[in-house]
Amino acid sequence: MKKLFLLLFILVSSSLTFKAQAQVSVNINIGAQPAWGPTGYDYVDYYYLPDIESYYYVPKRQFIYLSSGNWVFTTALPPRYSGYDLYNGYKVVINSPRPYRYFETHKVKYAKFKGNHGQLVIGKSKGPKYSPAKGNAKAYRGDKGRPSPHFNKGNGNGKGHGNGKGKH
């Protein structure tokens, strides 16, 4: 009888220990996302940028693009993309490891988003959810605090189309 009770006790104890180890993991990286990233995502690994057929790796803040047949990982876009507006270009969220391995598939699948400028970005969002990420625009400025040409906010062309609060 003691052996049966001891065996039952061990089984119950081990099942309780097993249940206690089960946990739910929730990933949130809103603060790490760039201000030019699209709203609506609590966690992002990569953005695919169809207009320039490149990727952006959020955790390391790296652009990934093809150059002479090789993938380049860098914190800035190459000069050939100097006129690209990250705030207005479309971004596709991809949460899988090393998506550039599937570049040919992405290039075809997301080609329909080239030239699409209707995506709301974190930096222009009114919601409090993205407040931590709005400060990430600072990480995309040049050495002397001036915006880098690679990170143009696209706030107008000097003809009254900016973010001013004056009367129209």
Side-chain angles (χ1 to χ4, degrees), residues 54-122:
S54 300
Y55 296 87
Y56 181 78
Y57 184 43
V58 173
K60 289 192 176 182
R61 297 181 177 186
Q62 288 182 325
F63 291 95
I64 304 166
Y65 57 87
L66 271 175
S67 180
S68 302
N70 296 310
W71 289 106
V72 176
F73 297 75
T74 181
T75 56
L77 287 168
R80 68 179 183 249
Y81 300 134
S82 65
Y84 181 66
D85 186 346
L86 289 163
Y87 282 79
N88 286 324
Y90 196 86
K91 280 75 65 179
V92 178
V93 172
I94 300 177
N95 287 328
S96 63
R98 297 179 293 169
Y100 45 88
R101 294 177 301 163
Y102 308 103
F103 171 66
E104 292 302 323
T105 302
H106 294 156
K107 184 176 175 178
V108 173
K109 184 176 182 179
Y110 301 120
K112 62 186 174 194
F113 294 110
K114 283 187 175 186
N116 184 327
H117 302 293
Q119 197 173 39
L120 181 61
V121 295
I122 292 169

